[in-house]
Amino acid sequence: MTYTQSAAMPHSSKTRAVFLVGFMGAGKSTVGRLLSERLGWRFVDLDRQVEARANKTVAEIFRTLGEPAFREMETEALRRLLQAMSDGDPTVIALGGGAFAQSANAEMLERIAAHVVFLDAPPDELRRRIGEDGRRPLLTDAERFRQLYEERRLHYRRAKHRVQTEGKTISEVAREIEFLLEEH
Ligand code: S3P
């Protein structure tokens, strides 16, 4: 079966956006891209917007300007995106792993009652998925990775929905989110 926008999203006039949050390796961008294709929605990766605006990669921003500067750019990118989206096309948005852990960002999404989906998996699986990715400045040793995951998890749980991704294919996760959207 293929999912046309109307079959998958009978109330798409109401649901205009879905935000994917979660730790590094959760699959926010890969799942988000596939989900957007299935729904016929636009896909936005917030990290790519920050990079385009700064004309630097995320790793370069961390290295040359530091994490606090990156967080400001991230919040600014989210604010601009929400403004641009208010009357626009329905959109799937993948946030970077730290974005929803910043209360200013979480509050912006709560204010518009956005559909926020927390993609979760055990930290060992998340780490396996991303391997040795030199582009991720916060990919540190296993112990610190797990600790950061635990800290972040408290924030991610503010999300309206949670999808456990362990042992699931990208397609299965995307389908689960489609079901969530159909129910809400
Ligand atoms: C970050 C995760 C990254 C990126 C940046 C900071 C984080 O995004 O935004 O390196 O704080 O967890 P991904 O979750 O897509 O790796």
Side-chain angles (χ1 to χ4, degrees):
M1 178 180 173
T2 54
Y3 299 100
T4 63
Q5 189 173 341
S6 55
M9 296 296 297
H11 49 229
S12 58
S13 59
K14 195 177 76 176
T15 311
R16 307 296 295 178
V18 55
F19 292 82
L20 304 183
V21 306
F23 208 52
M24 294 173 267
K28 303 176 294 287
S29 302
T30 17
V31 169
R33 204 166 285 115
L34 178 62
L35 179 66
S36 71
E37 280 167 20
R38 288 200 184 164
L39 297 172
W41 290 14
R42 189 167 70 109
F43 174 69
V44 171
D45 187 321
L46 197 69
D47 276 346
R48 301 292 85 77
Q49 301 236 319
V50 171
E51 290 181 331
R53 183 100 177 166
N55 201 22
K56 283 181 169 50
T57 65
V58 169
E60 283 165 352
I61 298 171
F62 267 73
R63 202 169 51 245
T64 59
L65 304 171
E67 182 172 349
F70 171 76
R71 296 297 168 204
E72 279 176 28
M73 293 176 183
E74 186 176 53
T75 297
E76 191 44 41
L78 183 60
R79 186 171 297 121
R80 270 198 315 273
L81 177 68
L82 295 184
Q83 275 164 4
M85 264 174 36
S86 43
D87 265 335
D89 298 331
T91 309
V92 177
I93 303 100
L95 298 192
F100 197 65
Q102 305 291 311
S103 35
N105 300 340
E107 280 159 19
M108 270 194 259
L109 299 183
E110 282 164 5
R111 227 172 287 136
I112 61 162
H115 284 285
V116 179
V117 182
F118 165 30
L119 299 186
D120 200 11
D124 289 345
E125 161 130 3
L126 294 168
R127 206 177 155 84
R128 251 196 318 276
R129 285 184 196 163
I130 52 187
E132 302 294 323
D133 184 346
R135 292 168 308 165
R136 284 189 164 93
L138 293 182
L139 179 55
T140 49
D141 63 275
E143 191 42 43
R144 177 68 195 125
F145 186 84
R146 178 186 296 273
Q147 208 182 336
L148 186 59
Y149 165 84
E150 295 299 342
E151 288 167 22
R152 292 274 182 81
R153 200 158 188 277
L154 301 172
H155 297 278
Y156 300 145
R157 292 180 76 96
R158 279 174 80 161
K160 211 186 276 181
H161 314 285
R162 172 172 168 264
V163 172
Q164 179 56 254
T165 65
E166 186 181 24
K168 293 179 190 160
T169 64
I170 292 161
S171 173
E172 284 166 343
V173 176
R175 185 70 196 114
E176 236 176 271
I177 300 171
E178 278 188 283
F179 274 128
L180 282 175
L181 296 177
E182 281 166 27
E183 280 169 8
H184 288 85

